[in-house]
């Protein structure tokens, strides 16, 4: 069986979500394309996977993908907003209006 830390994350662009499947469960980051970036609306982690760093791992993956694609992040998801406040290394890809709103 694959270790949770090795489980792949994929961008299901048709469904507008990043997905991590593990042990019959799916954690997702839901987004919409908007204003030259991705509007992150929700992060959902099944209870069986909570407390194992899944949301943080997905946040890093999503933010790296956004940076690689030359886009900006517009974080309306409370988890992503909190993550970005704790990790200023991603501030350069946060949409300017969200930087102000988040105090970055």
């Amino acid at each position: 069986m694959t270790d949770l830390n090795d489980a792949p994350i994929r961008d299901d662009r048709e469904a507008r979500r990043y997905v991590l499947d593990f042990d019959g469960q799916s954690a997702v980051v839901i987004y919409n394309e908007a204003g030259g970036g991705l509007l992150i609306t929700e992060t959902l982690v099944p209870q069986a996977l909570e407390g194992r760093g899944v949301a943080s791992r997905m946040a890093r993956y999503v933010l790296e993908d956004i940076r690689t694609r030359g886009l900006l992040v517009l974080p309306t998801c409370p988890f992503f907003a909190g993550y970005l406040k704790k990790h200023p290394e991603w501030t350069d890809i946060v949409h300017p209006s969200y930087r102000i709103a988040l105090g970055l």
Side-chain angles (χ1 to χ4, degrees), residues 41-84:
T41 60
E42 203 167 11
T43 301
L44 302 170
V45 177
Q47 190 172 11
L49 301 179
E50 286 180 358
R52 298 167 71 181
V54 172
S56 293
R57 181 169 167 239
M58 291 188 75
R60 285 188 304 274
Y61 181 91
V62 169
L63 292 167
E64 187 60 44
D65 189 50
I66 289 170
R67 180 177 276 155
T68 299
R69 293 170 57 192
L71 300 174
L72 295 173
V73 61
L74 298 86
T76 61
C77 166
F79 175 80
F80 259 78
Y83 186 89
L84 289 164

